Amino acid sequence: MRPSLCRGGGIWILLAVLVVVQPGAHGFYLPGSYPHKYLVGDTLSVKVNSLTSVETEIPFGYYSLPFCQPEKIRDSAENLGEILMGDRIENSPYTFRMYTNESEIFVCQTAPLSSDDFALLSKRIDEMYQVNFILDNLPAIRYTRKDDYTLHWTGFPVGVRFKDALYIFNHLKFRVLVNKYEDPNVSRVMGTGDAAELIPAVATSGGAPGYMVVGFEVVPCSFQHDPEVVKGLNKHSKYPSKIQCEPNMVSKVVKENEPLVFSYEVEFVERDIKWPSRWDAYLKMEGAKVHWFSILNSLMVIAFLAGIVLVIFLRTVRRDLTRYEELDKEAQAQMNEELSGWKLVVGDVFRAPSNPTLLCIMVGDGTQILGMAVVTILFAALGFMSPASRGTLVTGMLFFYLVLGIAAGYVAIRLWKTLRVGDPSGWISVSWRVACFFPGISFLILTTLNFLLWGSNSTGAIPISLFIVLLLLWFCISVPLTLVGGYFGAKAAHIEYPVRTNQIPREVPPQKYPSWLLVVGAGTLPFGTLFIELFFIMSSIWMGRVYYVFGFLFVVLILLVVVCAEVSLVLTYMHLCVEDWRWWWKSFFSSGSAAIYIFLYSINYLVFDLKNLSGPVSATLYLGYSLLMVVAIMLVTGTVGFLSSFWFVHFLFSSVKLD
């Protein structure tokens, strides 16, 4: 790679960092963490996100149900990651005034429920859909007591079915936690109805004390409003009577041809919660000690096993090499007549494998995905992709994947040139296939799933406009960069083989057991390094929990790479010892077979942990996304195994002179 291109890559990363990091009053703040100062009486606008459910995993727009609407529904600015994750953030008719407690505020009375609205509302309640409110970028959180534990949930149910009757939560008790902020240099966010405008403040000694929002809690209630009282009320007017609403009591029955009445109350409570700590309540995991203990235990056990495998492996190879090199020439000549094991396949070990083009393509794509994973997890571990910045994780993954197309092209074409013993002809065609292989699989799976989401009118469906944007990113950024990487790979010197390859291939002796059985079984060890962490990742994706231990995930990723390399080395050495020189694909799938166990684990998670997941559409979505994840993991682990085995075989046969 040329130095000028390296400088260009550095500029790209620097620009990405400058976009991510914003200057703050006390240094630098990550996106979504910039402290907003509100004065007493400033307007706070509550926003709504998509309705979600752990039963269907299909998000829907908030206003798809007969809820109160503002005068004009406005979409909040969304990034690419938010849209891909199915988030649809819009304004709402719920508005507060900073540090102003209000009770019994009437929001609206809807039109009488039609048969279609009633059926849809009943369906959403039965499917346990949750309402998700957002205030100052903080999701509404709900606390419940179970035995001696306090559980927290983001959002609250649309309603509940009790004794064959449907009840809706139509009265909300909001609690806004605030902390005083008296720094006059901090920028102030002025409430302007449904929007918020950032106005730089001027440093003055007499600046009015402001407040920051450090918590947003909600308690949903079901209350039967008096129809006669509601008739004369205007929007946001005070309800004339006291609303006695207990969280454990339900009274508003949903009936066809009857309207729904919504109301709320808000209380501001000052708490000594610092701004950087306001997300702590969302990041708390139930059973956190078990999580940490399991991760540490897994790391120690796998590291211990990997160390033993590595020591045994090094001693075995070293003994063979030392024994052979200590012999004189006559002894070596005599020993050559009685050679056994890997020394017999010296003339075939570097014979090109079957389907070499496909192998190069998969190794190139695996390199690209592995690079994307390493950089994304590293940035997330450093805090650049915090949960406060919705969609930045997915956006960052997409950005790094596009940029690392240059690495995919370089690795694939240089391997292609090596397999062809220095002949780079056809590299453009191979580069195109590298650029289209995994994205093509992803596009096929996502398009199929998108048709299901379109048919369900879900906000999780990718719009046509976004499909066009993704295609433009694919063919205008990823493909050209892959071709650039392929160009540098074609220009780079190919890897010289240390031994010559015979013209006639050696016959592989019959094996006592099928080699594929050993290859498939080898995937258990790489799977063992990540299955515990995989549980928390799956819970984050499908159970609505926030995943934040990216430091542990980075360690697990490094450990996975080490174990995949070691497993592939051992399997390659074992195959060479039984005179099986067809190690290329076996080294790829010996570590890549971990994807089989991950897919089986995904099915197990669907059956035993997602018991409430209902409907063929939901199950198809789950299996489709799981299949996409499994393909990516197979390419990554297989690439690590193949490259390590290639290095080992090259080193092994270049360390001893065999004629």
Side-chain angles (χ1 to χ4, degrees):
M1 188 178 295
R2 296 179 180 177
S4 60
L5 188 60
C6 293
R7 288 196 295 269
I11 292 174
W12 289 346
I13 296 177
L14 178 60
L15 288 176
V17 172
L18 291 177
V19 169
V20 170
V21 182
Q22 301 174 353
H26 298 286
F28 288 89
Y29 295 95
L30 299 177
S33 64
Y34 192 87
H36 296 164
K37 174 185 175 184
Y38 299 91
L39 298 182
V40 176
D42 282 351
T43 301
L44 299 176
S45 299
V46 178
K47 298 180 180 180
V48 292
N49 203 344
S50 301
L51 304 172
T52 56
S53 171
V54 296
E55 279 203 351
T56 65
E57 300 295 345
I58 304 176
F60 291 98
Y62 175 80
Y63 294 111
S64 63
L65 294 182
F67 291 143
C68 295
Q69 299 183 5
E71 295 180 0
K72 183 179 180 181
I73 300 176
R74 301 185 183 92
D75 292 332
S76 297
E78 294 173 321
N79 57 45
L80 190 61
E82 285 182 290
I83 299 176
L84 291 175
M85 292 296 293
D87 289 339
R88 295 295 184 272
I89 301 177
E90 300 165 312
N91 60 327
S92 78
Y94 295 90
T95 57
F96 311 148
R97 295 195 177 276
M98 173 56 74
Y99 224 106
T100 303
N101 295 338
E102 296 179 294
S103 59
E104 293 85 32
I105 302 299
F106 170 77
V107 180
C108 80
Q109 176 176 275
T110 67
L113 295 179
S114 63
S115 58
D116 292 339
D117 288 339
F118 175 77
L120 182 61
L121 186 59
S122 302
K123 183 179 179 182
R124 296 291 178 260
I125 292 176
D126 289 335
E127 291 173 340
M128 300 178 63
Y129 268 85
Q130 302 273 326
V131 178
N132 300 292
F133 282 0
I134 301 173
L135 177 65
D136 195 42
N137 203 35
L138 284 177
I141 194 170
R142 172 173 56 96
Y143 292 95
T144 57
R145 293 285 299 177
K146 184 177 181 180
D147 299 329
D148 295 332
Y149 297 96
T150 300
L151 305 177
H152 70 276
W153 313 84
T154 54
F156 59 91
V158 173
V160 63
R161 180 179 289 275
F162 183 70
K163 293 183 178 180
D164 296 329
L166 289 173
Y167 297 87
I168 190 170
F169 293 116
N170 59 337
H171 180 76
L172 303 176
K173 294 182 177 181
F174 294 106
R175 175 180 292 177
V176 182
L177 309 182
V178 297
N179 190 9
K180 187 175 292 186
Y181 201 153
E182 298 183 353
D183 187 352
N185 294 314
V186 72
S187 299
R188 175 187 170 196
V189 175
M190 292 290 296
T192 56
D194 293 322
E197 184 178 357
L198 194 66
I199 302 177
V202 179
T204 58
S205 58
Y211 293 90
M212 302 176 298
V213 177
V214 294
F216 184 37
E217 302 173 3
V218 62
V219 177
C221 301
S222 178
F223 181 75
Q224 178 64 55
H225 295 83
D226 189 344
E228 297 299 325
V229 174
V230 171
K231 287 182 180 179
L233 296 180
N234 297 320
K235 180 180 276 190
H236 294 128
S237 59
K238 186 174 178 60
Y239 197 79
S241 59
K242 183 69 175 176
I243 296 180
Q244 297 291 343
C245 189
E246 296 296 331
N248 297 327
M249 301 290 292
V250 288
S251 57
K252 175 54 183 174
V253 181
V254 180
K255 296 182 179 179
E256 192 174 342
N257 297 322
E258 287 190 4
L260 300 176
V261 179
F262 293 88
S263 59
Y264 74 92
E265 57 187 271
V266 59
E267 176 188 11
F268 288 83
V269 180
E270 191 168 346
R271 292 286 176 83
D272 188 21
I273 301 176
K274 304 301 180 183
W275 176 269
S277 303
R278 70 176 193 155
W279 276 88
D280 289 356
Y282 302 87
L283 301 181
K284 289 180 180 178
M285 283 188 176
E286 302 303 326
K289 292 182 179 180
V290 176
H291 172 83
W292 287 78
F293 177 78
S294 299
I295 294 298
L296 291 175
N297 183 66
S298 177
L299 289 173
M300 289 187 294
V301 170
I302 297 303
F304 178 73
L305 292 176
I308 293 177
V309 171
L310 184 61
V311 169
I312 295 175
F313 173 71
L314 289 178
R315 290 185 61 184
T316 303
V317 176
R318 190 180 184 90
R319 185 179 64 243
D320 283 353
L321 289 175
T322 304
R323 178 186 173 189
Y324 186 84
E325 291 175 350
E326 286 178 350
L327 300 177
D328 55 21
K329 292 184 178 180
E330 289 188 10
Q332 287 186 16
Q334 182 179 0
M335 185 177 180
N336 284 337
E337 299 177 357
E338 302 175 356
L339 285 178
S340 62
W342 59 270
K343 307 174 193 68
L344 289 175
V345 296
V346 62
D348 298 276
V349 68
F350 289 106
R351 187 178 303 281
S354 59
N355 298 318
T357 304
L358 180 60
L359 179 62
C360 296
I361 292 171
M362 296 176 71
V363 170
D365 281 338
T367 303
Q368 185 177 9
I369 300 171
L370 177 61
M372 175 205 67
V374 171
V375 178
T376 302
I377 295 174
L378 181 60
F379 269 72
L382 294 175
F384 288 96
M385 298 175 183
S386 66
S389 307
R390 291 179 181 83
T392 55
L393 187 65
V394 176
T395 305
M397 291 174 62
L398 185 60
F399 170 78
F400 293 128
Y401 180 82
L402 294 174
V403 172
L404 288 169
I406 193 169
Y410 178 83
V411 172
I413 298 305
R414 192 172 183 196
L415 178 61
W416 165 259
K417 187 177 179 180
T418 299
L419 292 177
R420 295 172 62 88
V421 197
D423 181 13
S425 60
W427 69 268
I428 296 179
S429 174
V430 177
S431 297
W432 268 98
R433 298 179 193 180
V434 172
C436 297
F437 181 73
F438 180 72
I441 295 175
S442 304
F443 187 80
L444 179 62
I445 295 176
L446 292 178
T447 302
T448 303
L449 300 181
N450 215 51
F451 277 117
L452 297 177
L453 293 172
W454 272 335
S456 303
N457 296 320
S458 169
T459 59
I462 302 176
I464 293 293
S465 58
L466 183 57
F467 253 112
I468 297 175
V469 170
L470 292 176
L471 288 174
L472 290 176
L473 291 175
W474 179 7
F475 287 102
C476 296
I477 297 180
S478 181
V479 172
L481 287 179
T482 306
L483 291 173
V484 170
Y487 171 78
F488 285 109
K491 291 296 182 182
H494 70 282
I495 302 173
E496 295 283 351
Y497 294 147
V499 293
R500 295 190 302 269
T501 301
N502 298 332
Q503 293 183 355
I504 301 176
R506 178 186 178 86
E507 182 180 356
V508 179
Q511 307 298 324
K512 296 181 180 180
Y513 49 85
S515 59
W516 63 265
L517 189 62
L518 192 60
V519 170
V520 172
T524 55
L525 192 57
F527 172 73
T529 65
L530 53 80
F531 83 96
I532 294 179
E533 202 67 26
L534 187 63
F535 170 78
F536 290 96
I537 295 175
M538 300 284 280
S539 299
S540 173
I541 296 174
W542 301 107
M543 301 294 288
R545 300 172 184 172
V546 180
Y547 186 88
Y548 67 97
V549 285
F550 290 101
F552 272 111
L553 184 60
F554 188 73
V555 174
V556 170
L557 178 61
I558 295 176
L559 190 60
L560 175 65
V561 170
V562 174
V563 172
C564 286
E566 293 173 347
V567 166
S568 183
L569 292 182
V570 172
L571 263 292
T572 299
Y573 182 71
M574 292 177 63
H575 282 101
L576 294 179
C577 285
V578 294
E579 304 175 29
D580 187 354
W581 48 266
R582 299 168 301 183
W583 60 271
W584 303 81
W585 281 108
K586 293 175 182 178
S587 66
F588 187 94
F589 286 112
S590 59
S591 54
S593 60
I596 299 175
Y597 300 96
I598 294 175
F599 189 71
L600 294 177
Y601 178 82
S602 301
I603 297 176
N604 174 80
Y605 189 85
L606 172 64
V607 174
F608 295 101
D609 293 277
L610 296 178
K611 299 177 181 179
N612 296 327
L613 196 65
S614 59
V617 174
S618 301
T620 304
L621 288 172
Y622 174 85
L623 293 176
Y625 288 125
S626 298
L627 179 62
L628 182 60
M629 176 185 68
V630 165
V631 171
I633 294 177
M634 184 267 292
L635 291 175
V636 170
T637 54
T639 297
V640 172
F642 170 78
L643 292 179
S644 59
S645 290
F646 184 85
W647 169 85
F648 162 70
V649 173
H650 190 279
F651 172 78
L652 179 63
F653 285 90
S654 62
S655 299
V656 61
K657 302 300 181 182
L658 290 172
D659 295 325

